[in-house]
Amino acid sequence: MARKCLIEKSKKDPKYKTRQYNRCKLCGRRRAYFRRFQICRLCFRKLASKGEIPGVKKASW
């Protein structure tokens, strides 16, 4: 779980545009972020296994 101060800090506009980084909308994690869904891989896996993300299903072959 990300620290609250870092989550709040990332919401502010940075002094320079290159300092901006993405965070998961659910848990605030900075790494392993999927831009398309705006969540991290851990939250993505949890929601996908529950079937809460439309168009995503577990692969099986």
Side-chain angles (χ1 to χ4, degrees):
M1 189 73 181
R3 294 189 316 211
K4 284 190 175 186
C5 63
L6 293 177
I7 294 171
E8 293 301 319
K9 187 177 179 182
S10 70
K11 290 180 182 176
K12 294 191 317 182
D13 289 332
K15 186 174 183 179
Y16 302 104
K17 190 175 181 180
T18 56
R19 291 185 182 175
Q20 185 178 8
Y21 52 88
N22 298 318
R23 285 196 175 267
C24 176
K25 301 293 181 190
L26 302 177
C27 66
R29 182 180 164 94
R30 183 176 176 181
R31 295 184 175 184
Y33 178 83
F34 288 116
R35 287 183 188 172
R36 183 175 177 183
F37 301 102
Q38 297 181 348
I39 54 177
C40 68
R41 68 175 178 87
L42 303 174
C43 295
F44 178 82
R45 186 168 188 231
K46 184 171 54 174
L47 293 175
S49 66
K50 290 181 181 178
E52 296 181 9
I53 301 176
V56 176
K57 70 175 188 174
K58 189 171 189 235
S60 60
W61 63 91

